């Protein structure tokens, strides 16, 4: 094998190994930042992983909000119509948080079946519901998924 071919082969192998390592590192970094959405029915059905950062949401069940008068701890139930799960949260809830309203929380599902939220987000007006929550509610009630059709202007 000629020296120039040997150099090209080593350069090609070096580039391939370097690219493989770079792709592996990027995938590892992205995997830690992925927050998958799970409905209460999926959490109850053990589809959601325990101890891993996830998003979950649904409608706040009326009469389920329990606040600790000594701290900022609050517990409430959320439902998608097919299942109900308890959410534990420590902090100040959003101003728009109310019973019967849609919320999305980020946190971890405990082995005890309780969703421990680090962040709770509430809807922002009377007609908005987070898309994940609306899809979960529609699926629980057997309604077909909504599709959006694009029409050309003037058509």
């Amino acid at each position: 094998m000629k020296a120039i071919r040997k150099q090209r082969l080593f350069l090609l192998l070096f580039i391939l190994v370097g690219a493989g390592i770079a792709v592996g590192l990027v995938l590892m970094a992205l995997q830690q930042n992925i927050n998958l959405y799970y409905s209460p029915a999926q959490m109850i059905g053990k589809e959601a992983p325990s101890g891993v950062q996830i998003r979950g949401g649904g409608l706040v069940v009326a009469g389920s909000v329990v606040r600790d008068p000594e701290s900022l701890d609050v517990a409430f139930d959320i439902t998608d119509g097919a299942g109900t799960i308890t959410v534990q949260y420590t902090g100040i809830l959003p101003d728009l948080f109310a019973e019967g309203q849609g919320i999305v929380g980020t946190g971890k599902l405990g082995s005890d079946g309780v969703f421990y939220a680090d962040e709770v987000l509430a809807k922002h007006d009377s007609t908005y519901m987070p898309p994940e929550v609306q899809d979960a509610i529609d699926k629980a009630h057997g309604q077909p998924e909504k599709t959006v059709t694009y029409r050309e202007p003037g058509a």
Side-chain angles (χ1 to χ4, degrees), residues 22-93:
V23 167
L25 290 174
V26 167
L27 290 176
M28 282 178 33
L30 288 176
Q31 187 177 18
Q32 294 173 356
N33 293 328
I34 294 176
N35 290 330
L36 299 176
Y37 177 84
Y38 292 95
S39 68
Q42 290 173 314
M43 289 185 216
I44 292 170
K46 306 287 187 207
E47 293 177 41
S50 293
V52 176
Q53 189 82 1
I54 60 171
R55 290 182 332 163
L59 298 175
V60 179
V61 176
S64 68
V65 179
V66 179
R67 298 175 190 268
D68 183 359
E70 303 291 323
S71 67
L72 294 176
D73 292 343
V74 64
F76 55 91
D77 294 338
I78 57 173
T79 185
D80 62 353
T84 302
I85 192 161
T86 301
V87 177
Q88 291 278 351
Y89 177 67
T90 301
I92 298 172
L93 290 168

Side-chain angles (χ1 to χ4, degrees), residues 70-153:
E70 303 291 323
S71 67
L72 294 176
D73 292 343
V74 64
F76 55 91
D77 294 338
I78 57 173
T79 185
D80 62 353
T84 302
I85 192 161
T86 301
V87 177
Q88 291 278 351
Y89 177 67
T90 301
I92 298 172
L93 290 168
D95 291 339
L96 297 173
F97 178 89
E99 295 176 351
Q101 300 297 325
I103 66 106
V104 173
T106 303
K108 296 179 180 178
L109 182 63
S111 58
D112 55 357
V114 175
F115 182 65
Y116 295 95
D118 300 322
E119 179 181 33
V120 173
L121 304 172
K123 66 186 203 103
H124 60 78
D125 72 11
S126 61
T127 59
Y128 175 78
M129 180 160 308
E132 297 95 344
V133 174
Q134 186 63 53
D135 289 344
I137 290 171
D138 290 346
K139 285 179 187 173
H141 292 293
Q143 297 175 0
E145 291 186 32
K146 296 180 178 114
T147 57
V148 178
T149 333
Y150 176 76
R151 289 182 25 190
E152 289 291 327

